Amino acid sequence: EPEVTQTPSHQVTQMGQEVILRCVPISNHLYFYWYRQILGQKVEFLVSFYNNEISEKSEIFDDQFSVERPDGSNFTLKIRSTKLEDSAMYFCASRERGGPAQYFGPGTRLLVL
Amino acid sequence: AQSVTQLDSHVSVSEGTPVLLRCNYSSSYSPSLFWYVQHPNKGLQLLLKYTSAATLVKGINGFEAEFKKSETSFHLTKPSAHMSDAAEYFCVVIRPWFGNEKLTFGTGTRLTIIP
């Protein structure tokens, strides 16, 4: 069964450093998403992406964040200058054209020191 | 705006007994609703989905949920709990489908199974 994959599974970085989180969505899916879950809190929407552009973003997704689909398979989330409060589990999800269900990857746990 | 409220943060049941995880939703439009499950150190797995077809929805691993508009509820049930059901369960709502909706998650219910 096709799955969304994410790398790395864990990342530790220093405050102010740039990080790139990578995702490979399910191959025939066209809509891509990033969510995050701060420890002990709800899963929160960050951004949706379709047809090589951002469709919607939350207030969390400020200028420090960017997304890109650099090739036909990868979907990345970049945090330019990480802050302590960026520490969270980041989930990538994808969806096919025909249905509303989003399929999630296993997540990347980001720790900013 | 849409939201979901999961009424129990933690539910414990004995193995072999029924499971009930409660969810109420609020939405300005007819919503689509989902249940996701997260096992320890794993990603979010789609259990089942309601998209305005049948109100009783069957999912994986023997789980079901019933959409009740009059009660604005979408409770998750299973007739007989198994040890492998121990996990965190999230009720999720989305806007009517326009192509790029964000999911809105509940706070989660941690299900513990007592041997």
Side-chain angles (χ1 to χ4, degrees):
Chain A
E1 188 177 324
E3 290 181 337
V4 177
T5 59
Q6 291 184 243
T7 53
S9 58
H10 294 79
Q11 175 128 19
V12 181
T13 190
Q14 296 290 324
M15 191 170 56
Q17 295 295 304
E18 175 183 286
V19 295
I20 298 176
L21 309 183
R22 291 182 168 80
C23 169
V24 178
I26 294 173
S27 63
N28 63 335
H29 286 190
L30 300 176
Y31 301 88
F32 313 114
Y33 308 84
W34 284 101
Y35 293 80
R36 78 173 185 189
Q37 185 181 30
I38 294 172
L39 192 63
Q41 297 186 22
K42 282 188 188 185
V43 178
E44 303 171 287
F45 168 80
L46 292 178
V47 66
S48 60
F49 189 87
Y50 170 70
N51 201 25
N52 283 317
E53 59 184 30
I54 290 173
S55 311
E56 184 177 0
K57 58 184 181 180
S58 72
E59 51 279 5
I60 302 167
F61 194 90
D62 61 22
D63 292 343
Q64 293 300 312
F65 291 88
S66 62
V67 289
E68 194 179 29
R69 187 151 163 84
D71 53 44
S73 59
N74 289 284
F75 180 51
T76 62
L77 174 68
K78 182 193 290 186
I79 309 175
R80 256 180 280 280
S81 177
T82 49
K83 302 190 273 286
L84 296 176
E85 54 265 37
D86 294 328
S87 295
M89 179 75 94
Y90 287 81
F91 292 105
C92 173
S94 69
R95 178 172 73 79
E96 61 184 345
R97 183 189 294 277
Q102 295 177 22
Y103 294 87
F104 283 77
T108 294
R109 186 170 293 284
L110 176 66
L111 178 61
V112 182
L113 302 176
Chain B
Q2 62 277 340
S3 65
V4 287
T5 302
Q6 292 185 245
L7 298 163
D8 307 291
S9 59
H10 192 191
V11 169
S12 293
V13 301
S14 297
E15 190 177 15
T17 65
V19 175
L20 170 63
L21 305 183
R22 299 181 295 165
C23 173
N24 287 110
Y25 70 89
S26 172
S27 178
S28 305
Y29 302 93
S30 295
S32 291
L33 292 155
F34 307 91
W35 278 96
Y36 283 84
V37 60
Q38 185 178 28
H39 287 91
N41 301 314
K42 301 282 188 183
L44 294 156
Q45 182 183 21
L46 180 65
L47 260 186
L48 50 79
K49 58 188 177 187
Y50 166 76
T51 56
S52 77
T55 56
L56 182 62
V57 181
K58 293 186 186 299
I60 61 172
N61 300 334
F63 284 93
E64 291 183 350
E66 186 170 7
F67 176 76
K68 291 188 176 180
K69 187 174 180 178
S70 60
E71 298 176 11
T72 61
S73 69
F74 190 59
H75 301 334
L76 182 70
T77 60
K78 183 173 180 177
S80 176
H82 191 271
M83 294 301 295
S84 60
D85 296 328
E88 185 99 17
Y89 291 79
F90 295 95
C91 183
V92 178
V93 65
I94 63 169
R95 296 194 298 257
W97 186 56
F98 296 116
N100 295 293
E101 306 80 10
K102 64 178 183 181
L103 300 180
T104 299
F105 281 74
T107 49
T109 298
R110 182 165 299 278
L111 178 62
T112 300
I113 311 297
I114 303 163

